[in-house]
Amino acid sequence: MLARAIPSTVFARRRRTLMERMGPGSIALLPAASSMPRNRDVHYPYRQDSDFYYLTGFPEPEAVAVLAPGGEREFLLFCRERDPQMEIWHGRRAGPRGAMDRYGVDNAHPITEIDRRLPPLLENRERVFYAIGYNPDFDRQVMDWINQVRSKARSGVRAPVAFIALEHLLHAMRLRKEPEEIAVMRESARIAVEAHCRAMRTCRPGMLEYELEAEILHTFLRNGAGWSYPSIVGGGDNSCILHYTENNAPLRDGDIVLIDAGAEVDGYASDITRSFPVNGRFSGEQRAIYELVLAAQKAAIAKVRPGCHFNEPHDAAVRTLTEGLVALGLLRGEAEALIEQEQHKQFYMHRTGHWLGMDVHDVGDYKTGDDWRVFEPGMVTTIEPGLYIPAGGKVMDAHWARLGVYLESELDERWWRIGVRIEDDVLVTTDGNEVLTAGAPKEIDAIEALMREDG
Ligand code: GLY
Ligand code: MN
Ligand code: MN
């Protein structure tokens, strides 16, 4: 995880809020993410667990955070000890002392002491909050600690009686972004915008998809950011593969290229998609499809505001796309009936957005009970409609789409190999919304003008 941008007062405030919501007699346990082996002695770059980081700001593996409301020392951390030899090889560690000095920890201990020190913390607590069932090793550890407490029942010690999924409270907090988080998300968006602009300026027929990916990554790294998910760079037919990541085919004159790439700054994601012609000039068919997706995206964005619910942008996008596909002759029938039959799924098989935050598909419920969640200021969602027509004009009928079966269609060849998605990150404000990624051009004239500039 790169540069720390969220001040420590914010982490302290979050811990206080969570502990208030947990109520007296509670304790919360959060493990840090494990370091993941890749091959032999090589590990994947370490990425802290989002929940753990949200509450601690602590960037190291092999740590467990404990929130024990009610006492003098409410925030405890078990972490790796300092070790000059290991630090020479693998990098610096805070150690328990550093954790207390720099991360607001009330009491820190070596992780090696956790089995001895943790069970007493559970004594006479009624409720244990943790992410039950996501980490089998941690589940087992928690149960061992609980059983240690239970074994002392005859000496009058009470063991916890309730285990509560922590994400219930925590993810409700993460769904509504604080001003400090929005500031970081703005920065993440700014960097991703810069990257997409660079890719547009650089693109030329004959380049390989990975060359554009390199331009994206260049901008991320130069700005001290990482990626929030592996970049998708798909030209021509590859633009129709939703999660394409091979990124190794040539970009051909006359084809469209779709780039879905987002940055990560201090644990916060951006998520942008732009689709543009490899040669800098939209063809007639590309233009028609593109204008339709853009109209759908604008209709959807207009529905991101307090009072609208989460599915309204999707409904608006589907209506615009369906009517437009009829107008282009790509769907036949009456729009109302086609919407009812979900015929748009032939060309648009994903949904219009997802929460965005520390995780690119961020946490937070989409429904409360049976009802879609209503947007509130501080929530951030992506808005990302698309249309995809692969080579062969093979499409998925709405019914067969559910079974994943492609059908032969009679689509004229001129429509083939066009995949367009336009994706922005949209913050709900008190009176509407703000598109955090508005700096990446999406009007056809603006894209073509930028692509005429020298890369
Ligand atoms: N890049 C993943 C998504 O757009 O949802
Ligand atoms: Mn997305
Ligand atoms: Mn995306």
Side-chain angles (χ1 to χ4, degrees):
M1 211 164 280
L2 293 152
R4 236 182 124 197
I6 302 269
S8 50
T9 47
V10 173
F11 294 106
R13 192 173 68 209
R14 292 170 179 169
R15 289 192 295 269
R16 231 175 7 254
T17 304
L18 179 65
M19 285 192 275
E20 277 165 23
R21 295 189 187 174
M22 285 160 49
S26 301
I27 189 165
L29 308 173
L30 293 103
S34 305
S35 173
M36 301 295 281
R38 181 175 179 275
N39 59 307
R40 250 179 109 78
D41 292 340
V42 179
H43 283 230
Y44 285 103
Y46 183 69
R47 165 60 158 78
Q48 187 55 279
D49 175 79
S50 297
D51 284 342
F52 182 94
Y53 194 73
Y54 181 82
L55 291 171
T56 66
F58 191 70
E60 297 181 23
E62 294 180 66
V64 172
V66 180
L67 300 183
E72 292 245 305
R73 296 160 184 272
E74 297 191 314
F75 175 29
L76 293 90
L77 188 79
F78 294 88
C79 63
R80 302 179 302 189
E81 285 185 275
R82 306 260 347 238
D83 179 333
Q85 195 61 22
M86 291 298 280
E87 289 182 54
I88 282 173
W89 284 91
H90 302 294
R92 297 184 182 89
R93 300 173 169 192
R97 183 78 254 157
M100 291 171 71
D101 290 346
R102 302 208 297 277
Y103 296 93
V105 177
D106 296 322
N107 219 348
H109 301 288
I111 187 75
T112 48
E113 296 178 8
I114 193 164
D115 287 329
R116 176 163 66 82
R117 290 186 180 271
L118 203 121
L121 299 171
L122 298 171
E123 289 179 7
N124 302 321
R125 299 258 171 195
E126 243 174 79
R127 291 172 297 170
V128 180
F129 287 77
Y130 85 101
I132 300 162
Y134 290 100
N135 177 340
D137 290 339
F138 194 66
D139 282 339
R140 205 169 316 112
Q141 241 181 326
V142 172
M143 288 310 138
D144 285 348
W145 297 330
I146 295 286
N147 283 328
Q148 280 192 48
V149 183
R150 285 174 178 155
S151 70
K152 293 168 78 177
R154 262 167 293 167
S155 48
V157 172
R158 280 177 292 114
V161 291
F163 298 88
I164 304 176
L166 175 64
E167 56 266 35
H168 227 64
L169 294 179
L170 190 54
H171 294 179
M173 290 170 63
R174 281 179 53 191
L175 176 58
R176 296 178 189 83
K177 274 67 182 176
E178 304 160 302
E180 295 85 353
E181 296 180 283
I182 293 168
V184 180
M185 290 188 74
R186 261 183 223 294
E187 177 66 358
S188 183
R190 182 195 68 73
I191 294 166
V193 163
E194 188 184 320
H196 279 264
C197 290
R198 185 180 169 99
M200 282 184 203
R201 276 199 311 270
T202 313
C203 187
R204 298 283 180 273
M207 287 176 79
L208 286 117
E209 291 163 345
Y210 56 69
E211 292 182 75
L212 284 189
E213 183 184 10
E215 300 298 331
I216 297 274
L217 295 178
H218 170 92
T219 306
F220 290 174
L221 290 175
R222 278 201 70 246
N223 283 278
W227 46 255
S228 52
Y229 54 92
S231 305
I232 295 167
V233 182
D237 212 29
N238 296 335
S239 65
C240 302
I241 301 172
L242 301 180
H243 288 162
Y244 176 77
T245 50
E246 289 163 44
N247 299 358
N248 57 5
L251 294 163
R252 299 194 329 202
D253 199 350
D255 275 353
I256 202 141
V257 57
L258 181 154
I259 300 183
D260 184 346
E264 185 177 85
V265 175
D266 200 20
Y268 286 85
S270 45
D271 182 6
I272 301 180
T273 308
R274 289 293 184 264
S275 312
F276 52 91
V278 169
N279 64 13
R281 292 282 301 169
F282 282 85
S283 72
E285 287 75 19
Q286 289 168 353
R287 182 177 287 263
I289 296 292
Y290 189 92
E291 292 284 19
L292 180 49
V293 175
L294 186 57
Q297 203 226 16
K298 288 177 179 174
I301 289 174
K303 297 288 184 186
V304 181
R305 54 186 154 84
C308 285
H309 65 64
F310 182 79
N311 211 43
E312 286 184 66
H314 183 63
D315 288 341
V318 165
R319 174 164 295 279
T320 304
L321 291 174
T322 306
E323 289 171 358
L325 288 166
V326 172
L328 291 175
L330 294 171
L331 283 179
R332 284 195 205 96
E334 198 258 322
E336 221 53 54
L338 295 169
I339 290 170
E340 182 72 23
Q341 296 158 12
E342 300 186 319
Q343 288 299 336
H344 64 277
K345 286 189 175 172
Q346 294 185 39
F347 306 101
Y348 177 42
M349 51 299 279
H350 59 81
R351 293 185 52 81
T352 300
H354 50 81
W355 302 128
L356 182 74
M358 299 190 77
D359 295 304
V360 64
H361 292 173
D362 206 27
V363 296
D365 293 334
Y366 289 95
K367 285 193 167 179
T368 48
D370 288 338
D371 299 322
W372 289 104
R373 186 183 278 278
V374 174
F375 288 118
E376 296 169 34
M379 293 176 176
V380 181
T381 184
T382 65
I383 293 293
E384 49 178 305
L387 289 172
Y388 310 92
I389 311 175
K394 285 186 182 172
V395 296
M396 290 201 279
D397 175 88
H399 168 70
W400 292 105
R402 287 184 202 101
L403 303 172
V405 178
Y406 282 91
L407 301 176
E408 294 294 338
S409 85
E410 295 156 13
L411 281 192
D412 193 291
E413 197 167 337
R414 66 198 175 96
W415 296 106
W416 294 3
R417 301 157 52 79
I418 301 178
V420 170
R421 176 163 68 253
I422 307 172
E423 174 173 30
D424 281 303
D425 304 344
V426 185
L427 166 69
V428 185
T429 59
T430 48
D431 56 357
N433 68 59
E434 180 189 340
V435 179
L436 300 177
T437 46
K442 61 182 177 186
E443 300 295 334
I444 283 186
D445 288 348
I447 290 174
E448 291 187 344
L450 183 61
M451 293 188 73
R452 278 195 295 273
E453 287 179 19
D454 268 346

